[in-house]
C-alpha cells in the first residue's frame, strides 16, 4: 500500500515500527545481516514516509509507515539499553582446552573479554547480557577449535578477526539501534573457526509468535 502523503515527515514512532518489521524479517530469514544493517541505517536517516516505504515494500507487511500504523502493529518493546550498561563484570576470560565453556544468560560482559579454545569450543551469548561499558571488546582465539558469539539483532557489532587455515565469520557485523552498546569482536582462528550470529532473544521470539497468531483486524 502506497502512502498517499510520501512527503509527510516521519515520526520517531513510525521509524521504530519500520525498524521492528526489519528485525522480524531478519529473524525469519527474509533478510541477511548485511541487507538488514543497510536498511536499518536508512530507517534512522529517513525523514519522510516516502523514504521509509521502500525499506519494507518487499516484506510481508504493508509497505509504508502509515499503513503499519493503520494495521495496528504494536510499538516495539523498549530495549532499555541504559539499564543494561554498567556494573562489575562477571568474568574477563574463558578457556576451553579439549573441553568447552559457555557465557550465557544474565551475565555482565567486561570492557575487555578474552576467550581461548584449543581442541575445544566455546559459546559467548550476548542476548541477555549486561555490559560493563558502552564499548566492549571480545577477543577470540580458536586454535584447532571453534567458538560462537551470539548477538541480538539490535546490538552494534563490529567484527575484525583473522582466519588462517580457518574461518573468522564477519557476516553478522553491523550497526544496532540508537543507544545500543558497541561490541568489537576480534582475534584469530588457526585451523579453527569463530562464528558470529544474530538471533532474537527468547522473550522476543515468543512475542513474535504470539503476534503472528493474532488475526489482523
Amino acid at each position: 500500500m502506497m502512502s498517499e502523503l510520501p512527503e509527510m515527515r516521519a515520526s520517531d514512532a513510525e521509524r521504530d515500527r519500520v525498524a521492528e518489521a526489519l528485525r522480524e524479517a531478519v529473524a525469519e530469514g527474509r533478510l541477511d545481516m548485511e541487507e538488514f544493517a543497510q536498511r536499518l541505517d536508512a530507517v534512522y536517516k529517513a525523514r519522510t514516509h516516502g523514504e521509509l516505504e521502500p525499506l519494507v515494500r518487499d516484506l510481508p507487511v504493508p509497505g509504508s509507515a502509515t499503513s503499519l500504523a493503520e494495521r495496528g502493529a504494536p510499538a516495539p518493546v523498549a530495549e532499555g539499553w541504559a539499564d543494561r550498561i554498567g556494573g562489575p563484570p562477571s568474568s574477563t576470560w574463558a578457556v576451553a582446552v579439549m573441553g568447552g565453556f559457555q557465557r550465557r544468560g544474565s551475565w555482565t560482559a567486561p570492557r575487555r573479554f578474552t576467550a581461548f579454545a584449543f581442541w575445544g569450543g566455546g559459546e559467548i551469548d550476548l542476548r541477555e547480557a549486561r555490559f560493563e561499558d558502552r564499548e566492549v571488546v571480545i577477543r577470540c582465539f580458536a586454535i584447532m577449535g571453534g567458538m560462537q558469539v551470539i548477538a541480538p539483532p539490535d546490538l552494534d557489532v563490529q567484527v575484525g578477526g583473522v582466519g588462517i587455515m580457518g574461518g573468522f565469520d564477519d557476516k553478522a557485523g553491523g550497526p544496532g539501534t540508537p543507544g545500543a552498546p558497541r561490541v568489537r569482536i576480534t582475534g584469530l582462528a588457526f585451523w579453527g573457526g569463530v562464528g558470529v550470529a544474530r538471533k532474537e532473544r527468547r522473550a522476543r521470539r515468543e512475542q513474535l509468535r504470539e503476534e503472528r497468531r493474532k488475526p489482523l483486524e
Side-chain angles (χ1 to χ4, degrees):
M1 176 178 175
M2 295 291 290
S3 172
E4 296 178 359
L5 298 171
E7 300 305 317
M8 180 179 288
R9 290 277 178 162
S11 68
D12 287 341
E14 288 165 340
R15 277 186 283 268
D16 285 341
R17 290 190 188 103
V18 174
E20 183 70 5
L22 295 177
R23 283 193 286 272
E24 182 171 347
V26 75
E28 294 175 342
R30 299 180 190 276
L31 295 177
D32 60 32
M33 287 309 306
E34 182 178 359
E35 190 170 13
F36 168 72
Q38 292 171 351
R39 293 195 191 195
L40 189 65
D41 183 57
V43 165
Y44 290 106
K45 290 180 179 178
R47 297 192 178 196
T48 67
H49 288 183
E51 292 172 326
L52 285 176
E53 187 173 4
L55 301 176
V56 289
R57 182 180 295 155
D58 59 347
L59 300 177
V61 294
S64 72
T66 302
S67 55
L68 283 172
E70 291 171 352
R71 176 188 172 189
V77 177
E79 291 298 338
W81 283 119
D83 296 333
R84 295 177 58 184
I85 297 173
S90 302
S91 61
T92 58
W93 57 273
V95 174
V97 178
M98 293 184 288
F101 73 81
Q102 285 186 330
R103 294 293 184 274
R104 62 189 309 180
S106 182
W107 70 293
T108 302
R111 293 184 181 90
R112 299 289 182 272
F113 184 82
T114 302
F116 178 81
F118 176 73
W119 280 16
E123 180 184 76
I124 303 169
D125 192 334
L126 301 172
R127 288 176 292 178
E128 307 297 336
R130 293 180 56 84
F131 301 88
E132 185 182 13
D133 205 345
R134 290 192 173 276
E135 182 154 341
V136 166
V137 177
I138 297 178
R139 301 190 303 167
C140 299
F141 299 94
I143 312 300
M144 293 183 286
M147 212 175 298
Q148 184 176 42
V149 181
I150 303 173
D154 49 354
L155 186 66
D156 187 343
V157 177
Q158 307 297 321
V159 184
V162 175
I164 300 175
M165 292 185 289
F168 209 111
D169 186 5
D170 63 354
K171 295 184 180 64
T177 55
R182 172 172 293 177
V183 176
R184 294 176 52 231
I185 301 171
T186 184
L188 172 69
F190 179 72
W191 280 17
V194 175
V196 183
R198 298 270 193 171
K199 296 182 182 180
E200 287 284 2
R201 300 174 181 87
R202 178 178 299 178
R204 179 63 188 141
R205 292 200 307 268
E206 293 174 355
Q207 181 188 30
L208 291 172
R209 282 197 294 267
E210 288 298 320
E211 289 172 4
R212 285 194 289 270
R213 290 193 188 104
K214 295 177 182 178
L216 297 179
E217 296 181 357

